[in-house]
């Protein structure tokens, strides 16, 4: 059969461009719009001479496609060029280039001349340089975040009813339990509208940014589809995937008329997602319309505010020169206490030198910031920016003030008191925000002792305490010349239980598994709440055969929550972290086998 080039690309316009490039090199080109279609082409025609593929393919992603291709005996000579918009996917693919047989990796934004030259070199048997060389892909965050601030998209009120109805319709149309309208902020993603989320995520209306699949949509400025997150080399360790909340994902960028990506309109399922290229195109079109609607509403809101301001100015005499806010500005500057004057409308108006020194923030920048941006800067100086950001705010205008305590880690460790007090000024209610230094952060030892040593839900040791005990017990067993094993257990479908039956039911199931483990241990063994739905049983003095017997006893109990498990024993002078890594790998294999035997 004649040699050919296979192009796996869901976007018709880009596929046509690649096809023209391939035919220009004298090769027959065949286009597949998703990974499953590409597999079918190979089955019918055998492996291609050249494969040009994206990594974010519908139905079967690019990583899975390449893995499958390399298992074929006729694919040893196939040259592979990967083109993708997503930096983290591209880096991971380069790390796996030998196993996946990748000869070149390019950014989606690579110039046509570079693409043409790369194809020529790959066909000539030359491998390319590492990714990112000379290819800046990440755009500055400032303009994008400023656009979100200027459109006033983030608020503390309930989700907009119209947007809620929209995401509910999207979830129903795509046949998935979860749909989100997600804005990607500095350190977190925030759900402007959502349907189908577990109660904890719905209450917080967001997650840390490094958990967010939507972060990749913003970074890549492209639609992202992850058909099977649990098997994906980039996303399988994501906390939302480990918890069973995200099994698959498809998201399209909310792109403004001026080119900023605000976030994503996305759909999520707990199972592998079988959306095709046409579905992805429909999601992109919906996201485009939503972005247009958000812009129109922002313009209307800004116009109404301007009219109201103009009407208010017409009714009230203008403040005299050196009026209330200007007088207060000078008073703030004279204070030795770090202070910020916030004008009506939650606009930072003036800060002083003490505030600038404390936060490492130039005083002249403050009047140009939104309050959200200011709070993001302060939260970024703490150990847990996402959690801190949820606390930081101004007082209610009718209250006597807001008082918070927070611990900074930068520029130097210290504890602060955040106090916001409202007061009337001509034209509205202003606020004075002061930050009082309560002294240095607790010493490391005191801080460690303050942390909880028992998991409140299960009554078991926390992971931090468990790791300390593991190190001690493994060392003791080595000195005494006795074996040491661990049993790692995961509650099957905890995320689904939480979503379908509520978190109280999920918590009860986890406590049940914890009691079963406690009943299997013999002193000095101990059980640990490891992470999420995973628990660990340490078995000092137990060899591999006896540990397997303990594991079988765990599964012999009928009528209790279903679990998947794996046991391993310490080998020789093996590092404890290596033992735990083998246990985690064995558990991952066991979970994969369970999914393949019970796909529903």
């Amino acid at each position: 059969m004649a040699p050919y080039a296979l192009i796996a690309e869901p976007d018709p316009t880009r596929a046509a461009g690649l096809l023209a490039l391939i035919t220009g090199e004298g090769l027959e080109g065949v286009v597949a719009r998703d990974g499953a279609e590409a597999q079918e082409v190979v089955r019918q025609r055998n492996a291609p001479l050249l494969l040009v593929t994206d990594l974010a393919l519908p139905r079967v992603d690019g990583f899975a496609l390449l893995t499958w291709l390399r298992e074929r005996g006729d694919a040893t000579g196939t040259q592979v060029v990967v083109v993708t918009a997503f930096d983290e996917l591209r880096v991971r693919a380069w790390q796996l280039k030998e196993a996946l047989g990748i000869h070149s990796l390019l950014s989606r934004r690579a110039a046509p001349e570079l693409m043409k030259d790369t194809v020529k070199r790959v066909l000539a048997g030359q491998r390319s340089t590492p990714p990112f060389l000379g290819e800046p892909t990440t755009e500055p965050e400032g303009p994008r975040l400023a656009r979100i601030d200027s459109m006033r998209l983030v608020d503390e009120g309930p989700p907009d009813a119209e947007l809620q109805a929209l995401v509910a319709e999207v979830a129903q149309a795509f046949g998935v339990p979860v749909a989100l309208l997600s804005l990607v902020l500095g350190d977190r993603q925030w759900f402007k509208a959502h349907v189908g989320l577990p109660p904890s995520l719905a209450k917080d209306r967001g997650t840390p940014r490094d958990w967010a699949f939507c972060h990749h949509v913003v970074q890549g400025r492209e639609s992202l589809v992850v058909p099977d997150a649990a098997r994906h080399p980039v996303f399988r360790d994501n906390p939302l995937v480990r918890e069973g909340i995200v099994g698959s994902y498809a998201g399209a960028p909310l792109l403004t008329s001026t080119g900023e990506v605000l976030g994503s309109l996305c759909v999520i399922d707990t199972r592998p997602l079988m959306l095709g290229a046409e579905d992805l195109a429909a999601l992109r079109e919906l996201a485009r319309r939503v972005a247009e609607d958000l812009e129109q509403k922002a313009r209307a809101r800004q116009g109404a505010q301007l009219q109201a301001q103009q009407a208010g100015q017409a009714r009230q005499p203008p403040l005299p020169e050196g009026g209330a806010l200007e007088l207060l500005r000078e008073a703030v500057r004279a204070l030795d206490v770090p202070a910020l004057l916030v004008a009506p409308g939650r606009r930072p108006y003036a800060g002083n030198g003490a505030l600038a020194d404390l936060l490492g923030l130039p005083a002249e920048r403050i009047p140009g910031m939104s309050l959200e941006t200011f709070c993001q800067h302060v939260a970024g100086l703490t150990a847990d920016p996402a959690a801190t950001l949820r606390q930081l705010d101004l007082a209610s205008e009718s209250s006597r003030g807001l008082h918070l305590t927070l611990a900074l880690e930068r520029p130097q460790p210290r504890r602060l008191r955040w106090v916001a007090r409202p007061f009337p000024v001509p034209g509205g209610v202003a606020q004075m925000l002061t930050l009082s230094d309560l002294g240095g952060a607790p010493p490391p030892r005191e801080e460690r002792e303050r942390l909880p040593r028992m998991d409140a839900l299960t009554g078991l040791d926390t992971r931090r305490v468990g790791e300390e005990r593991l190190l001690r017990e493994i060392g003791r067993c080595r000195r005494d010349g006795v074996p040491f094993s661990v049993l790692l257990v995961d509650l099957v479908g905890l995320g689904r239980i939480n979503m379908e039956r509520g978190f109280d039911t999920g918590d009860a199931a986890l406590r049940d598994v914890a009691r079963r483990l406690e009943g299997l241990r013999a002193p000095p063994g101990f059980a640990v709440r490891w992470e999420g739905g995973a628990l660990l049983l340490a078995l000092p003095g137990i060899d591999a055969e006896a540990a397997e017997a303990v594991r079988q006893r765990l599964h012999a109990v009928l009528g209790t929550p279903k679990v998947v498990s794996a046991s391993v024993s310490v080998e020789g002078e093996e590092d404890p972290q290596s033992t735990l890594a083998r246990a985690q790998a064995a558990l991952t294999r066991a979970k994969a086998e369970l999914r393949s035997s019970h796909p529903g």
Side-chain angles (χ1 to χ4, degrees):
M1 192 170 289
Y4 71 102
L6 177 58
I7 301 165
E9 170 57 64
D11 185 277
T13 303
R14 290 182 178 133
L18 290 169
L19 185 60
L21 188 155
I22 293 299
T23 55
E25 295 300 315
L27 272 175
E28 177 194 2
V30 178
V31 174
R33 297 194 62 187
D34 60 55
E37 187 176 325
Q39 289 177 328
E40 187 58 31
V41 170
V42 175
R43 290 188 187 101
Q44 293 179 5
R45 302 193 51 162
N46 293 328
L49 177 65
L50 172 69
L51 171 63
V52 181
T53 184
D54 198 344
L55 293 173
L57 296 174
R59 299 174 65 194
V60 174
D61 69 75
F63 289 99
L65 173 63
L66 291 174
T67 300
W68 173 84
L69 183 68
R70 290 311 179 194
E71 291 173 350
R72 291 179 58 95
D74 62 349
T76 55
T78 298
Q79 309 290 301
V80 174
V81 176
V82 168
V83 184
T84 188
F86 307 104
D87 287 353
E88 291 187 42
L89 271 64
R90 194 149 54 111
V91 169
R92 185 62 178 139
W94 189 256
Q95 293 169 344
L96 298 171
K97 64 182 184 300
E98 299 301 332
L100 298 178
I102 296 173
H103 298 79
S104 183
L105 270 156
L106 287 176
S107 167
R108 174 73 78 192
R109 304 178 205 180
E113 295 79 10
L114 177 58
M115 172 65 75
K116 184 176 182 179
D117 179 65
T118 299
V119 168
K120 284 184 174 180
R121 287 189 293 104
V122 168
L123 287 173
Q126 302 174 23
R127 287 184 178 265
S128 78
T129 52
F132 302 104
L133 185 61
E135 296 179 14
T137 57
T138 303
E139 296 184 356
E141 280 277 276
R144 191 184 69 79
L145 296 175
R147 188 66 191 278
I148 293 175
D149 286 339
S150 69
M151 293 173 68
R152 300 182 71 87
L153 296 177
V154 180
D155 59 71
E156 298 305 320
D160 179 85
E162 185 177 340
L163 292 176
Q164 282 293 100
L166 168 73
V167 294
E169 291 174 7
V170 169
Q172 184 175 12
F174 285 88
V176 297
V178 179
L180 307 172
L181 184 62
S182 175
L183 302 180
V184 177
L185 309 179
D187 294 311
R188 62 173 177 148
Q189 69 170 339
W190 183 76
F191 306 139
K192 189 164 182 67
H194 57 85
V195 63
L197 285 175
S200 60
L201 292 183
K203 179 182 178 182
D204 292 341
R205 290 185 69 179
T207 72
R209 181 166 176 170
D210 56 5
W211 294 10
F213 286 63
C214 296
H215 155 75
H216 300 273
V217 175
V218 169
Q219 174 269 314
R221 303 175 60 83
E222 295 277 352
S223 299
L224 171 67
V225 58
V226 183
D228 190 349
R231 297 175 183 268
H232 198 285
V234 174
F235 298 107
R236 61 192 174 200
D237 293 325
N238 184 291
L240 300 175
V241 177
R242 293 201 306 264
E243 289 288 330
I245 296 171
V246 177
S248 51
Y249 170 94
L254 300 171
L255 186 63
T256 69
S257 58
T258 49
E260 299 90 5
V261 182
L262 307 174
S264 170
L265 176 65
C266 66
V267 293
I268 294 170
D269 204 341
T270 55
R271 298 177 296 180
L273 197 65
M274 294 307 293
L275 301 183
E278 295 80 6
D279 300 308
L280 204 56
L283 188 63
R284 280 197 299 268
E285 178 61 21
L286 281 170
R288 184 187 66 79
R289 294 180 183 178
V290 170
E292 287 180 356
D293 186 57
L294 290 175
E295 285 192 284
Q296 289 174 0
K297 288 182 177 179
R299 285 193 292 268
R301 191 162 51 245
Q302 290 164 355
Q305 289 172 350
L306 179 60
Q307 290 179 357
Q309 289 173 1
Q310 290 172 344
Q313 291 170 358
R315 289 193 301 268
Q316 298 177 1
L319 283 174
E321 183 126 7
L325 290 178
E326 285 299 319
L327 288 173
L328 288 168
R329 182 205 300 269
E330 295 307 314
V332 167
R333 288 175 174 172
L335 289 174
D336 292 329
V337 176
L340 173 68
L341 174 62
V342 183
R346 299 168 62 90
R347 294 179 295 110
Y349 190 82
N352 59 11
L355 182 73
D357 292 341
L358 177 69
L359 302 179
L361 185 66
E364 61 270 17
R365 279 189 54 196
I366 294 174
M369 303 174 74
S370 68
L371 182 69
E372 177 71 14
T373 303
F374 176 80
C375 291
Q376 286 176 356
H377 176 85
V378 176
L381 304 178
T382 69
D384 190 349
T388 303
L389 187 59
R390 288 195 289 269
Q391 303 177 49
L392 301 184
D393 201 353
L394 298 179
S396 167
E397 293 183 357
S398 61
S399 73
R400 299 179 62 183
L402 174 71
H403 302 257
L404 299 170
T405 301
L406 60 152
L408 299 190
E409 288 202 339
R410 295 173 295 277
Q412 63 184 31
R414 66 179 75 212
R415 291 183 299 128
L416 297 179
R417 188 69 167 163
W418 169 291
V419 178
R421 292 189 176 91
F423 60 93
V425 295
V429 176
Q431 300 214 22
M432 184 68 73
L433 174 64
T434 58
L435 300 179
S436 305
D437 193 343
L438 299 179
R445 180 178 179 83
E446 292 179 20
E447 183 67 17
R448 287 196 300 271
E449 292 301 321
R450 188 182 62 81
L451 293 173
R453 302 185 64 82
M454 177 183 292
D455 176 61
L457 175 61
T458 62
L460 305 180
D461 286 344
T462 63
R463 178 163 180 167
R464 179 182 67 86
V465 174
E467 286 181 336
E468 293 175 357
R469 292 185 68 180
L470 278 170
L471 291 175
R472 289 197 301 270
E473 285 298 313
I474 290 175
R476 182 186 64 79
C477 288
R478 279 190 177 138
R479 289 192 301 273
D480 296 344
V482 298
F484 187 99
S485 300
V486 296
L487 174 62
L488 202 54
V489 180
D490 202 355
L491 176 58
V492 173
L494 177 59
R496 186 176 301 177
I497 293 172
N498 287 335
M499 283 200 295
E500 295 178 356
R501 299 164 61 188
F503 275 72
D504 288 344
T505 303
D507 290 349
L510 198 55
R511 282 192 291 267
D512 193 352
V513 177
R515 285 193 295 270
R516 286 160 63 186
L517 280 187
E518 284 277 79
L520 292 172
R521 73 176 182 88
F526 55 93
V528 181
R529 171 79 182 278
W530 201 243
E531 58 181 0
L535 309 174
L536 180 144
L537 182 62
L539 300 168
I542 302 295
D543 61 16
E545 183 177 350
E548 178 60 21
V550 172
R551 194 183 74 83
Q552 294 295 338
R553 284 165 51 201
L554 171 70
H555 289 270
V557 181
L558 300 177
T560 53
K562 188 174 183 179
V563 297
V564 61
S565 64
S567 62
V568 300
S569 297
V570 175
E571 297 178 350
E573 295 299 316
E574 178 181 48
D575 180 86
Q577 294 301 328
S578 298
T579 304
L580 294 173
R582 286 195 297 111
Q584 185 62 59
L587 182 66
T588 301
R589 289 194 298 271
K591 291 164 72 174
E593 292 170 1
L594 179 66
R595 283 194 299 269
S596 62
S597 60
H598 299 84

